[in-house]
Amino acid sequence: MEPAGTTVTTTAAAAYPRKILDYMEGFLVSKTLFTACELGVFDLLASSQHPLSLEEVALGIRASQDGTERLLAACTGLDLLNTQTLDGQVMYSNTEQSSVYLTQSSPVSLTQSIHYSSKTIYLCWHYLTDAVREGSNQYEKAFGVKSEDLFEALYRSEEEMVKFMQLMNSIWNICGRDVVTAFNLSPFTTIYDLGGCSGALAKQCVLAYPECTVTIFDLPKVVKTSREHFVTNDNQRVSFHEGDFFKDALPDADLYILARILHDWTDVRSIELLTKVYRACRPARSPVIQVSIQRPSMSDGFLR
Amino acid sequence: MEPAGTTVTTTAAAAYPRKILDYMEGFLVSKTLFTACELGVFDLLASSQHPLSLEEVALGIRASQDGTERLLAACTGLDLLNTQTLDGQVMYSNTEQSSVYLTQSSPVSLTQSIHYSSKTIYLCWHYLTDAVREGSNQYEKAFGVKSEDLFEALYRSEEEMVKFMQLMNSIWNICGRDVVTAFNLSPFTTIYDLGGCSGALAKQCVLAYPECTVTIFDLPKVVKTSREHFVTNDNQRVSFHEGDFFKDALPDADLYILARILHDWTDVRSIELLTKVYRACRPARSPVIQVSIQRPSMSDGFLR
């Protein structure tokens, strides 16, 4: 307990911890966004021809009026909704970004990613302190699934696997084109995407480079699910190769892509993988692209 | 599933959803900060005479080296730690804000607030969707405590009550002075702080205004805990009044403070409380101060 008269001398820079308070509130902001998506607020407003009142939204999403009012107010404060007053009544509508990214029918929808973040990752991260202490994933505490390996846990059922693949899919739908065109990859025609998952980045690659073919190299069960849910037969320049990139030989290629892969592994295993890729490279031709779309030094690989 | 050739036309404003992606990452940022606090990273670095290596930090906080390395990298990316390279080795030290706000011994420490946010609020908010749908708090799902009333759940044990009061305490230690000096309150000498909890705002008030006395009006069990843990006898101008501000009469005062109170209640109950305060006011003298320190429209009262 501090004495009543304590005053603290700090420099101007440290005078008010706005940044730290923002960090402390981060999870409130995330869950507000997630809940509005889960309840279908943005879908409801997108399907309406005109802005809706609180009563109409609460009825439409089948939620309590008090809870809905607080949620809509929070979303408005976060610039996820617009409000206008008509005849003294507040009316809500989507912002442009909400229409584009937070409605299920949008081709660049983030809703699948948001569902996965809200239901799975959020709860896993509740055990982050234990994860750092033990250096191991916490899926057992979060979901009762004991697992030495991250992907055993992520892929513990086909349903979970599809959800995880939808997460990866929605990320690449948004920034995949920017990633594959950040460098001119047109000299490379035979491309392997190691851990290519749902194939969203592969699709962006063949769209950007009409001469290339991209082979998705992933575990057999991932390939099976990807064929069923994500890659249709009309993607003729996207194909599959079943394998484990730690255990199996890598086929010849002009270019290997490792996108959001290395952060899942320790330095030792990452070096092992990169060494293997280096040895498989066609001499003097094949570079490797490692992509990680994150804030600098903010790893999402904590729960390895 | 979107066809491979889908492209989306958006205006420049909606072209890349940086803000939404930041919101989606908010909980990762919160938990990174919380975990670094819980493991004592900032305390360890504050107690050291010189910057520490990864190995020294991992040993000092008794955590895995891989997990610690990822945690320190994330904290550095969030500007919570400084790094420098000595003889080819990365060395970590606290930033000024981390020293002031994230170490347990600091008089304006946020660590108690962070522990409460991490252990209690974070898990409650996992059930936000149900809370909005049902319009009721989710303590039963989160902690097995069935409760109609928010404060029954918050105060379900003395330990939980102390933790909640520490949270309130650390908030007012940081911004209480700014709040009580935002207006000149020197004309008011008999002040009641309704729901004054740990008394941290009351202490800031008597510090700022040497003529006033502040009486903390709160539930009997809160008053008991506040006397035991937060308000020492040498705070002669801070006293207590046991009561329930909905049920019991309000004593006469020059000024009533309602700080972080109304967001806990529905509009109906808030109006009931404000009407009661208005009627208790000494004619033509007593204003009411309602304080809510939050982002605009971002309510922390979701789980009422």
Side-chain angles (χ1 to χ4, degrees), chain A residues 176-185 209:
Chain A
R177 189 181 163 79
D178 290 341
V179 167
V180 297
T181 58
F183 298 92
N184 175 17
L185 303 181
Y209 302 104

Side-chain angles (χ1 to χ4, degrees), chain A residues 11 23 30 38 96 122 129, chain B residues 11 23 30 38 96 122 129:
Chain A
T11 66
Y23 291 168
S30 296
E38 285 167 7
E96 188 179 0
Y122 185 91
T129 301
Chain B
T11 66
Y23 292 168
S30 296
E38 285 168 7
E96 187 179 358
Y122 185 91
T129 301

